[in-house]
Amino acid sequence: MPLRVVVAGATGVVGRTLLPLLRERGHHVTALVRRVDRLNGSTSFDDIAVADLLDPDGVRRELCRAAPDVVVDQTSGIGRTDLPDGRHRTARSRERASKNLVDAAVAAGTRRIIGQSTTAAYRPHGHDVLDEESPLWTDAPGCWGDAVRAQVAMEEAVLTCSDIEGVALRYGNLYGPGTQYAPGGAVHSRVCGSELPVVAEGAGVTSFTHVEDAAGAVLELLASGDPGPYNVVDNEPAEATEWLPAYARMAGGPAPVSLTLEQAKAQLDWLTVHQLTEQRGATNFRLRETLGWRPKWPSWREGFADLFGHWPG
């Protein structure tokens, strides 16, 4: 059955992939943006709603006008910023924006809201691959703790409101066109510049999510599936010592240098060291078993090969 769907974050890497898929399935799509020029001439929608998510009255007005059955929030879960205080401001803004969007959706009579979250927020624990019952790392140090607590606040706003069905999609590291792993992106530049090493004593595990699989999970959960959190990741969590060298080969960059843990701590920021040495991967078991969802890109190996047009030699 066609639905009226409002997509916040319509100009992001997942939003750009999602909009045409929604229209192909006959849904009426409203792109919720802060500025019209961010759409860059895209026509993959039926309507435009212009509002700043930090303006509760404006968001409420636009959602009541659009009257959506489903609101999809694809605004960035944990923003990538260069300055720690910038990340802190982003976290605080994220909390307010999430609450405003949920309140506006309830006022508009929306049945379901789908929010974007991240598996990177899980508390690292042992060598386990983590599921949705695993705790989030709310007491993480520094600005990363601010970011995780903002994610928790977003999930609580979406999942605990009794007046609307809430779904939180916890993506792994997003990759694909337009992401930081694509040519010219931040990770691509760091790897090709020999700025992202492997750590000999580290066993950090990353779960990846192709933007097409993120969008596909949204489609699956528009009108089906129980409310709650879902990990949206591929089938192959990978240690940094495995995926980084493979990515470097496919990207045409130099092999990553190898550092000891002490060298890494002296040369890299805390968050990068955590990701390379402590971070845990996640399992997509719940989404696969309850909805029959299958990732189009079951492994990051296939997805990276497609991104760069070849398998490593």
Side-chain angles (χ1 to χ4, degrees), residues 131-148:
D131 62 19
E132 290 84 353
E133 301 303 317
S134 301
L136 300 177
W137 199 10
T138 54
D139 58 349
C143 294
W144 186 243
D146 292 332
V148 172

PDB file of all heavy atoms in Angstrom, residues 131-148:
ATOM      1  N   ASP A 131      24.853  -7.777  19.742  1.00  0.00           N
ATOM      2  CA  ASP A 131      23.486  -7.693  19.248  1.00  0.00           C
ATOM      3  C   ASP A 131      22.785  -6.491  19.871  1.00  0.00           C
ATOM      4  O   ASP A 131      23.380  -5.719  20.620  1.00  0.00           O
ATOM      5  CB  ASP A 131      22.715  -8.990  19.514  1.00  0.00           C
ATOM      6  CG  ASP A 131      22.571  -9.309  20.998  1.00  0.00           C
ATOM      7  OD1 ASP A 131      22.733  -8.390  21.841  1.00  0.00           O
ATOM      8  OD2 ASP A 131      22.272 -10.471  21.322  1.00  0.00           O
ATOM      9  N   GLU A 132      21.484  -6.353  19.579  1.00  0.00           N
ATOM     10  CA  GLU A 132      20.737  -5.170  20.001  1.00  0.00           C
ATOM     11  C   GLU A 132      20.538  -5.076  21.505  1.00  0.00           C
ATOM     12  O   GLU A 132      20.186  -4.006  22.020  1.00  0.00           O
ATOM     13  CB  GLU A 132      19.376  -5.135  19.297  1.00  0.00           C
ATOM     14  CG  GLU A 132      19.444  -4.855  17.807  1.00  0.00           C
ATOM     15  CD  GLU A 132      19.708  -6.086  16.951  1.00  0.00           C
ATOM     16  OE1 GLU A 132      19.973  -7.175  17.535  1.00  0.00           O
ATOM     17  OE2 GLU A 132      19.667  -5.968  15.717  1.00  0.00           O
ATOM     18  N   GLU A 133      20.758  -6.168  22.221  1.00  0.00           N
ATOM     19  CA  GLU A 133      20.635  -6.141  23.675  1.00  0.00           C
ATOM     20  C   GLU A 133      21.921  -5.679  24.354  1.00  0.00           C
ATOM     21  O   GLU A 133      21.935  -5.451  25.570  1.00  0.00           O
ATOM     22  CB  GLU A 133      20.261  -7.536  24.194  1.00  0.00           C
ATOM     23  CG  GLU A 133      18.955  -8.082  23.633  1.00  0.00           C
ATOM     24  CD  GLU A 133      17.783  -7.158  23.913  1.00  0.00           C
ATOM     25  OE1 GLU A 133      17.687  -6.651  25.053  1.00  0.00           O
ATOM     26  OE2 GLU A 133      16.982  -6.932  23.001  1.00  0.00           O
ATOM     27  N   SER A 134      22.987  -5.525  23.608  1.00  0.00           N
ATOM     28  CA  SER A 134      24.262  -5.098  24.175  1.00  0.00           C
ATOM     29  C   SER A 134      24.174  -3.639  24.609  1.00  0.00           C
ATOM     30  O   SER A 134      23.505  -2.829  23.967  1.00  0.00           O
ATOM     31  CB  SER A 134      25.383  -5.277  23.153  1.00  0.00           C
ATOM     32  OG  SER A 134      25.490  -6.629  22.740  1.00  0.00           O
ATOM     33  N   PRO A 135      24.853  -3.279  25.694  1.00  0.00           N
ATOM     34  CA  PRO A 135      24.759  -1.898  26.194  1.00  0.00           C
ATOM     35  C   PRO A 135      25.485  -0.905  25.300  1.00  0.00           C
ATOM     36  O   PRO A 135      26.505  -1.239  24.679  1.00  0.00           O
ATOM     37  CB  PRO A 135      25.410  -1.984  27.578  1.00  0.00           C
ATOM     38  CG  PRO A 135      26.341  -3.158  27.488  1.00  0.00           C
ATOM     39  CD  PRO A 135      25.679  -4.134  26.578  1.00  0.00           C
ATOM     40  N   LEU A 136      24.948   0.307  25.260  1.00  0.00           N
ATOM     41  CA  LEU A 136      25.616   1.395  24.568  1.00  0.00           C
ATOM     42  C   LEU A 136      26.596   2.062  25.531  1.00  0.00           C
ATOM     43  O   LEU A 136      26.391   2.084  26.739  1.00  0.00           O
ATOM     44  CB  LEU A 136      24.592   2.395  24.039  1.00  0.00           C
ATOM     45  CG  LEU A 136      23.576   1.814  23.039  1.00  0.00           C
ATOM     46  CD1 LEU A 136      22.560   2.866  22.619  1.00  0.00           C
ATOM     47  CD2 LEU A 136      24.273   1.221  21.818  1.00  0.00           C
ATOM     48  N   TRP A 137      27.641   2.659  24.978  1.00  0.00           N
ATOM     49  CA  TRP A 137      28.780   3.116  25.782  1.00  0.00           C
ATOM     50  C   TRP A 137      28.539   4.548  26.254  1.00  0.00           C
ATOM     51  O   TRP A 137      29.226   5.491  25.851  1.00  0.00           O
ATOM     52  CB  TRP A 137      30.051   3.023  24.947  1.00  0.00           C
ATOM     53  CG  TRP A 137      31.319   3.012  25.736  1.00  0.00           C
ATOM     54  CD1 TRP A 137      31.467   2.894  27.082  1.00  0.00           C
ATOM     55  CD2 TRP A 137      32.642   3.120  25.192  1.00  0.00           C
ATOM     56  NE1 TRP A 137      32.794   2.919  27.434  1.00  0.00           N
ATOM     57  CE2 TRP A 137      33.535   3.050  26.294  1.00  0.00           C
ATOM     58  CE3 TRP A 137      33.143   3.250  23.906  1.00  0.00           C
ATOM     59  CZ2 TRP A 137      34.917   3.125  26.115  1.00  0.00           C
ATOM     60  CZ3 TRP A 137      34.518   3.319  23.736  1.00  0.00           C
ATOM     61  CH2 TRP A 137      35.389   3.261  24.825  1.00  0.00           C
ATOM     62  N   THR A 138      27.600   4.706  27.149  1.00  0.00           N
ATOM     63  CA  THR A 138      27.200   6.050  27.571  1.00  0.00           C
ATOM     64  C   THR A 138      28.241   6.741  28.449  1.00  0.00           C
ATOM     65  O   THR A 138      28.197   7.961  28.600  1.00  0.00           O
ATOM     66  CB  THR A 138      25.869   5.994  28.336  1.00  0.00           C
ATOM     67  OG1 THR A 138      25.977   5.057  29.408  1.00  0.00           O
ATOM     68  CG2 THR A 138      24.733   5.571  27.405  1.00  0.00           C
ATOM     69  N   ASP A 139      29.174   5.981  29.034  1.00  0.00           N
ATOM     70  CA  ASP A 139      30.224   6.604  29.839  1.00  0.00           C
ATOM     71  C   ASP A 139      31.563   6.587  29.113  1.00  0.00           C
ATOM     72  O   ASP A 139      32.625   6.627  29.733  1.00  0.00           O
ATOM     73  CB  ASP A 139      30.343   5.926  31.204  1.00  0.00           C
ATOM     74  CG  ASP A 139      30.647   4.429  31.108  1.00  0.00           C
ATOM     75  OD1 ASP A 139      30.555   3.871  29.988  1.00  0.00           O
ATOM     76  OD2 ASP A 139      30.975   3.827  32.150  1.00  0.00           O
ATOM     77  N   ALA A 140      31.520   6.553  27.783  1.00  0.00           N
ATOM     78  CA  ALA A 140      32.747   6.647  26.988  1.00  0.00           C
ATOM     79  C   ALA A 140      33.430   7.979  27.275  1.00  0.00           C
ATOM     80  O   ALA A 140      32.783   8.968  27.621  1.00  0.00           O
ATOM     81  CB  ALA A 140      32.423   6.526  25.504  1.00  0.00           C
ATOM     82  N   PRO A 141      34.745   8.031  27.130  1.00  0.00           N
ATOM     83  CA  PRO A 141      35.463   9.256  27.496  1.00  0.00           C
ATOM     84  C   PRO A 141      35.287  10.381  26.485  1.00  0.00           C
ATOM     85  O   PRO A 141      34.998  10.153  25.303  1.00  0.00           O
ATOM     86  CB  PRO A 141      36.929   8.799  27.536  1.00  0.00           C
ATOM     87  CG  PRO A 141      36.984   7.599  26.640  1.00  0.00           C
ATOM     88  CD  PRO A 141      35.661   6.924  26.788  1.00  0.00           C
ATOM     89  N   GLY A 142      35.465  11.603  26.985  1.00  0.00           N
ATOM     90  CA  GLY A 142      35.585  12.783  26.135  1.00  0.00           C
ATOM     91  C   GLY A 142      34.404  13.036  25.232  1.00  0.00           C
ATOM     92  O   GLY A 142      33.243  12.744  25.554  1.00  0.00           O
ATOM     93  N   CYS A 143      34.713  13.593  24.068  1.00  0.00           N
ATOM     94  CA  CYS A 143      33.681  13.976  23.108  1.00  0.00           C
ATOM     95  C   CYS A 143      32.958  12.769  22.523  1.00  0.00           C
ATOM     96  O   CYS A 143      31.812  12.889  22.086  1.00  0.00           O
ATOM     97  CB  CYS A 143      34.293  14.812  21.988  1.00  0.00           C
ATOM     98  SG  CYS A 143      34.922  16.404  22.541  1.00  0.00           S
ATOM     99  N   TRP A 144      33.641  11.613  22.521  1.00  0.00           N
ATOM    100  CA  TRP A 144      32.950  10.419  22.034  1.00  0.00           C
ATOM    101  C   TRP A 144      31.795  10.060  22.966  1.00  0.00           C
ATOM    102  O   TRP A 144      30.719   9.652  22.515  1.00  0.00           O
ATOM    103  CB  TRP A 144      33.910   9.246  21.911  1.00  0.00           C
ATOM    104  CG  TRP A 144      33.283   8.029  21.287  1.00  0.00           C
ATOM    105  CD1 TRP A 144      33.094   6.814  21.861  1.00  0.00           C
ATOM    106  CD2 TRP A 144      32.757   7.924  19.959  1.00  0.00           C
ATOM    107  NE1 TRP A 144      32.483   5.953  20.988  1.00  0.00           N
ATOM    108  CE2 TRP A 144      32.268   6.608  19.811  1.00  0.00           C
ATOM    109  CE3 TRP A 144      32.656   8.807  18.893  1.00  0.00           C
ATOM    110  CZ2 TRP A 144      31.672   6.165  18.628  1.00  0.00           C
ATOM    111  CZ3 TRP A 144      32.067   8.364  17.719  1.00  0.00           C
ATOM    112  CH2 TRP A 144      31.586   7.056  17.596  1.00  0.00           C
ATOM    113  N   GLY A 145      31.993  10.237  24.260  1.00  0.00           N
ATOM    114  CA  GLY A 145      30.903  10.020  25.201  1.00  0.00           C
ATOM    115  C   GLY A 145      29.745  10.958  24.938  1.00  0.00           C
ATOM    116  O   GLY A 145      28.573  10.555  25.006  1.00  0.00           O
ATOM    117  N   ASP A 146      30.042  12.233  24.622  1.00  0.00           N
ATOM    118  CA  ASP A 146      28.979  13.186  24.273  1.00  0.00           C
ATOM    119  C   ASP A 146      28.182  12.681  23.072  1.00  0.00           C
ATOM    120  O   ASP A 146      26.955  12.745  23.043  1.00  0.00           O
ATOM    121  CB  ASP A 146      29.575  14.558  23.937  1.00  0.00           C
ATOM    122  CG  ASP A 146      30.193  15.238  25.147  1.00  0.00           C
ATOM    123  OD1 ASP A 146      29.738  14.962  26.278  1.00  0.00           O
ATOM    124  OD2 ASP A 146      31.118  16.046  24.955  1.00  0.00           O
ATOM    125  N   ALA A 147      28.909  12.188  22.065  1.00  0.00           N
ATOM    126  CA  ALA A 147      28.253  11.724  20.844  1.00  0.00           C
ATOM    127  C   ALA A 147      27.377  10.506  21.113  1.00  0.00           C
ATOM    128  O   ALA A 147      26.253  10.405  20.613  1.00  0.00           O
ATOM    129  CB  ALA A 147      29.295  11.411  19.775  1.00  0.00           C
ATOM    130  N   VAL A 148      27.882   9.559  21.910  1.00  0.00           N
ATOM    131  CA  VAL A 148      27.104   8.355  22.211  1.00  0.00           C
ATOM    132  C   VAL A 148      25.869   8.709  23.032  1.00  0.00           C
ATOM    133  O   VAL A 148      24.772   8.194  22.783  1.00  0.00           O
ATOM    134  CB  VAL A 148      27.975   7.320  22.950  1.00  0.00           C
ATOM    135  CG1 VAL A 148      27.111   6.146  23.438  1.00  0.00           C
ATOM    136  CG2 VAL A 148      29.081   6.804  22.044  1.00  0.00           C
TER     137      VAL A 148
END
